[in-house]
Amino acid sequence: MIFLKPAGFILKIDQLGRIVIPKPLRKKYDLELGDTLEVFNEADGIFMKKYCMHCEFCGNDENLTKFKDKMICDDCLSQLRNMD
């Protein structure tokens, strides 16, 4: 079970099912116009995070593999496999 700290914001869903993410949260999580969010359905609620499709180590956005909720490119994955 994940325990989340309240952010101090109450958000209202509009007629089209939208919410506005308050500016302090957008700034804190580096969310900008046009960014994509990934939404997860958890047993006790909804969890959102910024969707990233690039290597966590080098920033490459090609030949990615998902490993423990992180994206890693083939080059970095190869380097990790060859570590002693």
Side-chain angles (χ1 to χ4, degrees), residues 11-69:
L11 306 178
K12 187 173 184 177
I13 300 172
D14 73 8
Q15 301 90 338
L16 297 175
R18 300 175 295 195
I19 61 169
V20 175
I21 300 172
K23 188 173 184 177
L25 290 178
R26 294 193 315 264
K27 186 175 179 179
K28 178 177 181 176
Y29 294 104
D30 193 30
L31 297 173
E32 298 179 10
L33 183 65
D35 283 348
T36 305
L37 296 177
E38 194 169 6
V39 180
F40 300 91
N41 181 19
E42 300 292 333
D44 55 346
I46 299 168
F47 174 74
M48 293 187 295
K49 73 175 191 173
K50 187 173 181 177
Y51 183 68
C52 273
M53 281 297 289
H54 65 270
C55 178
E56 293 289 325
F57 297 104
C58 71
N60 186 3
D61 61 357
E62 296 179 4
N63 303 316
L64 299 172
T65 301
K66 190 170 188 175
F67 178 73
K68 294 190 177 185
D69 296 327

